[in-house]
Amino acid sequence: MKTRFWMTLVLSLLLAVSWAGAEEIAGLPLHIEKLDDGVIRLWLGDHISSTTTFAFATEKGIVVVDTFGVPEVDSQLRQAIARELGRSDFTYLINTHEHGDHTGGNAVYADCTIVGHELIAAGMAEAAANRERMLAWFPERIAAIEAELQSLGAGAPEAAALKEDLILNRLNFRAVEAAAEQAPPNLTFSDRMTLDLGDTTFELSYIGGMHTSSDTAILVPEHGLLLTGDTMADVWLTDTPGCLASFSVRSGVQHDFPRMLANWDRLLADRERITTLMPAHWNGELSIEGAEARVEYVRSLWNAVNQAAEAGQGIQAVLAENQLAARFPSLAESPGFSAQGNHASITELWREASGQASAARTVFELLGEGADEEAIRQVLADRGSESPGYFFFEAEFNAYGYAFLQQDRVDEAVRMFEINVELFPDSWNTYDSLGEALLRRGETDEAAAMYEKSLALNPESPSGREALATIKGGAST
Ligand SMILES: [Zn+2]
């Protein structure tokens, strides 16, 4: 009897320890970290770039920031928060921005006031309109991960990360299939808002226009915390940074650069109130110096495009003077920066400063949706007009041509490169790219003619020489 008692006790203690050490939600390890008295953050997984949920115990109730994005997971996270804080008076849910991996679990907090930027609802509606595409995409993605897992030997180091990725994709797919109820914020703001919870205040500032239209910084001065959403990180803890991967201005996002910069300046001027900056995914970190450098980077580009637009210069001058490695050497190797991202940022900033749209992007979209030649001609006719509505940039047309090639849309790629040849007939590279696309379409003679034109303009071009040698070698056999 006695022995059995001790055995039962030891066994139950062992079970309790192993359960506490390996608590899971939906098959993913749950992490709970105490940041300060009454402040915790929770996330799932050791490898995937999942969202961090923050929870604050305040005098006037529990305040949660961001959801995992999957209602079945978020109801369990809500229970874990209640257990950890020893109370369940949930009062507010705040969203850092509109993305589904932050707002998808909002309905689990439908009994609370849901707080966020006024543009979050539109962003959520746009994502919901994409449902059909996501329903088609997820099974393909899931099958690809399953195939990759099968091809790896058991115990391969990459397998652990893939398994988590598989679970995450299955969870997201189920959520899309279920068409879960959307719960956009019912308390919104446009520039700044303060929530007073007695012993704790939440100062919300718009910092949107880079990652999404609705990015929000949340300063909680009593805890020295600045939550920065998905806008930036200067350390990546995993090699799959996910949403934090790119620090650049996304197109299709509403911008207000002067307001965003002013709000960042105000936040960073109060730096004695900030002890820790925290991105909204667990696998990113951010220092105050990293944030300052990123804000200064955007300011430099914003000033450069405005000065160039006022001086009547073109975007080419701005791009040439603001190449990442040459102009911003200390940021070139920093997480989130790339030459393409820098180019995309300048293009988008230019669009905002000059009021001109990218002709290459517009033509890319028109070709992509199968628009007729007349629509394309209308865009091209704008070139050289007195007040052009578009800017024409050779490298951009070229890049979009390759984007079509990557999608195996060879006809559209050929058309894109033909337009670039028409616009920039003195550039050897436009003929070289067109040659490559024609070759992909099996039009060897036409391709050879293009490579010859390219070589006439740039006899040293190795790609042209190699391609011609291959074509001629192939033709002679
Ligand atoms: Zn995001």
Side-chain angles (χ1 to χ4, degrees):
M1 187 81 183
K2 196 177 175 188
T3 320
R4 207 203 253 166
F5 168 75
W6 283 110
M7 272 185 65
T8 313
L9 184 67
V10 168
L11 203 66
S12 54
L13 277 173
L14 275 173
L15 278 174
V17 167
S18 66
W19 176 81
E23 185 175 358
E24 290 187 343
I25 292 181
L28 293 168
L30 167 65
H31 296 270
I32 302 174
E33 184 189 352
K34 181 179 172 182
L35 298 174
D36 200 353
D37 277 344
V39 186
I40 54 172
R41 65 171 183 152
L42 307 88
W43 72 94
L44 297 184
D46 296 322
H47 307 279
I48 42 171
S49 175
S50 54
T51 308
T52 309
T53 293
F54 296 86
F56 299 79
T58 79
E59 211 169 84
K60 296 185 180 170
I62 296 176
V63 177
V64 174
V65 175
D66 278 348
T67 68
F68 181 84
V70 176
E72 62 174 284
V73 169
D74 282 298
S75 355
Q76 294 181 65
L77 281 173
R78 181 174 166 148
Q79 286 169 24
I81 292 169
R83 185 190 72 212
E84 290 299 313
L85 298 181
R87 52 198 278 191
S88 56
D89 53 340
F90 291 89
T91 306
Y92 284 107
L93 168 70
I94 310 174
N95 292 137
T96 58
H97 63 296
E98 68 211 49
H99 280 162
D101 55 341
H102 302 261
T103 57
N106 279 11
V108 167
Y109 296 92
D111 56 326
C112 301
T113 302
I114 302 178
V115 188
H117 191 265
E118 62 186 7
L119 293 175
I120 286 183
M124 287 173 74
E126 205 182 314
N130 251 335
R131 181 166 177 266
E132 291 302 317
R133 213 167 52 84
M134 296 315 283
L135 282 175
W137 183 84
F138 272 116
E140 278 178 33
R141 177 78 192 122
I142 288 167
I145 303 172
E146 283 170 341
E148 207 179 334
L149 259 173
Q150 251 180 4
S151 73
L152 289 172
E158 308 95 308
L162 276 175
K163 277 181 196 160
E164 286 192 356
D165 200 21
L166 184 60
I167 295 174
L168 182 63
N169 276 282
R170 282 179 178 155
L171 283 168
N172 282 322
F173 183 39
R174 275 218 296 276
V176 175
E177 271 187 317
E181 185 199 340
Q182 296 260 17
N186 44 29
L187 176 60
T188 62
F189 72 100
S190 89
D191 184 27
R192 289 155 62 184
M193 176 165 70
T194 299
L195 298 174
D196 179 359
L197 276 288
D199 57 354
T200 317
T201 38
F202 294 81
E203 299 178 18
L204 281 56
S205 305
Y206 160 90
I207 51 164
M210 300 280 290
H211 184 70
T212 67
S213 309
S214 58
D215 302 316
T216 298
I218 305 168
L219 177 66
V220 193
E222 292 84 357
H223 295 291
L225 270 174
L226 180 65
L227 311 183
T228 54
D230 286 1
T231 55
M232 53 177 77
D234 62 359
V235 174
W236 292 335
L237 302 174
T238 64
D239 42 6
T240 48
C243 288
L244 302 171
S246 165
F247 182 74
S248 64
V249 187
R250 293 189 177 183
S251 69
V253 164
Q254 280 194 40
H255 313 295
D256 187 340
F257 294 106
R259 190 144 60 103
M260 180 201 74
L261 290 168
N263 278 345
W264 264 118
D265 285 346
R266 200 177 36 75
L267 286 166
L268 295 172
D270 266 350
R271 57 186 295 173
E272 73 278 3
R273 297 205 297 165
I274 306 169
T275 326
T276 313
L277 295 96
M278 289 217 140
H281 288 255
W282 69 273
N283 59 335
E285 291 179 348
L286 180 63
S287 67
I288 196 143
E289 293 76 19
E292 279 169 344
R294 280 157 178 76
V295 172
E296 281 317 304
Y297 164 78
V298 178
R299 193 192 322 278
S300 304
L301 292 184
W302 178 239
N303 290 341
V305 293
N306 276 291
Q307 278 159 16
E310 273 163 37
Q313 290 173 319
I315 185 177
Q316 281 87 339
V318 188
L319 285 162
E321 283 160 24
N322 291 279
Q323 291 189 21
L324 185 62
R327 173 80 175 74
F328 306 99
S330 59
L331 290 174
E333 302 300 318
S334 190
F337 286 90
S338 67
Q340 289 138 298
N342 185 57
H343 182 276
S345 293
I346 294 172
T347 311
E348 199 58 23
L349 286 154
W350 176 264
R351 201 183 59 72
E352 193 74 11
S354 67
Q356 290 179 339
S358 154
R361 185 170 178 86
T362 309
V363 169
F364 174 72
E365 285 168 358
L366 286 171
L367 285 172
E369 61 203 34
D372 57 20
E373 186 63 20
E374 203 190 317
I376 289 161
R377 282 287 136 205
Q378 271 184 11
V379 177
L380 301 184
D382 180 69
R383 194 170 182 230
S385 73
E386 253 178 44
S387 53
Y390 295 97
F391 61 88
F392 292 76
F393 188 50
E394 179 199 330
E396 221 187 355
F397 276 92
N398 196 52
Y400 281 121
Y402 278 101
F404 275 134
L405 271 189
Q406 257 180 1
Q407 299 168 16
D408 267 332
R409 300 179 72 170
V410 182
D411 289 341
E412 286 88 348
V414 167
R415 191 68 199 102
M416 200 78 197
F417 291 133
E418 281 173 351
I419 290 168
N420 212 12
V421 161
E422 181 188 327
L423 292 170
F424 303 97
D426 299 331
S427 157
W428 67 271
N429 192 44
T430 58
Y431 298 98
D432 187 281
S433 300
L434 179 55
E436 190 177 333
L438 288 167
L439 206 54
R440 273 276 285 275
R441 203 159 70 176
E443 293 169 30
T444 317
D445 293 345
E446 291 81 354
M450 287 306 125
Y451 281 119
E452 268 158 12
K453 279 195 178 171
S454 176
L455 280 170
L457 290 164
N458 178 17
E460 301 307 313
S461 158
S463 60
R465 284 181 177 193
E466 268 170 43
L468 262 188
T470 311
I471 292 170
K472 287 184 176 157
S476 67
T477 52

